[in-house]
Amino acid sequence: MCGFIGVYGPDGVDVSPEIYEGLLAIQHRGQDAAGITTFTDTFHVKKGAGLVRDAFSQADMLRLRGNLGLGHVRYPTVGQGSLDDAQPFHVNFPFGVAMAHNGNVTNFLELKECHARNSGTRLNSSCDLEVILYVFVRALAERVPTGKLVRPEDVFEAVRAVHQQVRGAYSVVAVLPDVGMLAFRDPYGIKPMVLGTKHTEDGTFHAVASESVALDVIGYKEHQDVHAGEAVLIDQERRVHRRAV
């Protein structure tokens, strides 16, 4: 059992304080490690062992700038439980993607060995999220040539590839700079996920979390479930695209 929250705020705001408060509300879902990743013109990352309040200093929070980000609290179910396995994970090439999840991939070792054998890819951790991230990014790269814009349909097809290749129970949140924020659940909907919206003087915020209490404590009064097998993309214009994939 792990917990996560992703927030996409209006231009010019920093969402890390909301992510921090949301993680405190779901601390019961994981006490092994915590992490926050945000984005401006680059990814800003901080991970630490133990509880949320111990993992982030005031200086860390000031460094975690940007209106797009996600956070995670970890309870180890796969792997060695080292800080290398702490989420979120991110890649910068061929696309920038940061990702966190709650779940358990049952064919993790099979996929890890398959990718090593077929493409020479070596994973950096023993966390099963890294397999989901790799499958997603590889599928996206096969559809989108270098330098071309990523469309919502490209994102949904990459999620479809995850559903086809990755077995197990998982709910996932991801941020894709210059594209938006993505949330999706496995085809059976075993792991929960909720989507929320709130309107402020600064503008409209969108958020996703592994349970609604993470959104309640930061003022999201409007929220609804992400359905089993569904993917939700909130694009740069804050349009919400929903697709059963």
Side-chain angles (χ1 to χ4, degrees):
M1 181 173 68
C2 296
F4 63 77
I5 179 172
V7 180
Y8 197 177
D11 294 339
V13 305
D14 292 323
V15 297
S16 57
E18 284 206 354
I19 294 172
Y20 181 90
E21 293 296 327
L23 292 180
L24 287 176
I26 54 175
Q27 182 71 87
H28 59 280
R29 298 189 67 90
Q31 302 84 38
D32 179 70
I36 295 177
T37 298
T38 60
F39 184 84
T40 51
D41 55 343
T42 187
F43 285 115
H44 310 286
V45 181
K46 177 60 173 70
K47 304 177 187 180
L51 302 178
V52 173
R53 67 170 182 260
D54 300 322
F56 306 101
S57 67
Q58 184 176 4
D60 293 329
M61 298 306 297
L62 291 173
R63 185 175 57 81
L64 293 168
R65 306 296 301 275
N67 69 325
L68 180 62
L70 62 163
H72 186 269
V73 289
R74 184 173 194 269
Y75 179 89
T77 56
V78 173
Q80 302 171 358
S82 71
L83 198 56
D84 290 338
D85 294 339
Q87 301 180 39
F89 286 175
H90 76 278
V91 296
N92 292 304
F93 182 83
F95 305 98
V97 181
M99 185 176 284
H101 91 319
N102 171 36
N104 192 357
V105 175
T106 57
N107 62 336
F108 167 64
L109 293 178
E110 175 187 335
L111 288 173
K112 182 178 181 179
E113 293 171 1
C114 177
H115 293 315
R117 182 173 61 253
N118 295 337
S119 66
T121 301
R122 297 294 189 272
L123 302 186
N124 294 317
S125 75
S126 57
C127 177
D128 52 0
L129 171 68
E130 196 172 9
V131 163
I132 299 176
L133 176 60
Y134 179 80
V135 171
F136 176 84
V137 171
R138 183 177 181 181
L140 196 60
E142 289 175 351
R143 286 186 57 88
V144 184
T146 302
K148 297 297 183 180
L149 294 177
V150 177
R151 304 167 301 167
E153 188 60 35
D154 300 321
V155 175
F156 292 137
E157 286 302 313
V159 174
R160 190 189 306 276
V162 173
H163 285 173
Q164 291 172 344
Q165 297 180 46
V166 178
R167 297 195 300 270
Y170 49 86
S171 54
V172 178
V173 61
V175 297
L176 293 80
D178 303 318
V179 180
M181 182 170 69
L182 169 69
F184 62 91
R185 293 176 71 189
D186 71 79
Y188 300 100
I190 296 171
K191 296 295 182 179
M193 176 183 282
V194 63
L195 170 69
T197 304
K198 73 174 179 179
H199 307 281
T200 73
E201 293 181 355
D202 293 321
T204 299
F205 288 72
H206 297 275
V208 293
S210 52
E211 60 182 275
S212 60
V213 66
L215 303 187
D216 292 337
V217 299
I218 51 177
Y220 287 79
K221 305 300 183 184
E222 307 170 27
H223 44 68
Q224 55 190 300
D225 288 339
V226 177
H227 302 303
E230 183 181 28
V232 180
L233 175 67
I234 301 160
D235 69 20
Q236 285 190 293
E237 284 71 43
R238 309 311 192 271
R239 295 174 297 204
V240 179
H241 308 261
R242 305 187 72 150
R243 184 76 55 83
V245 294

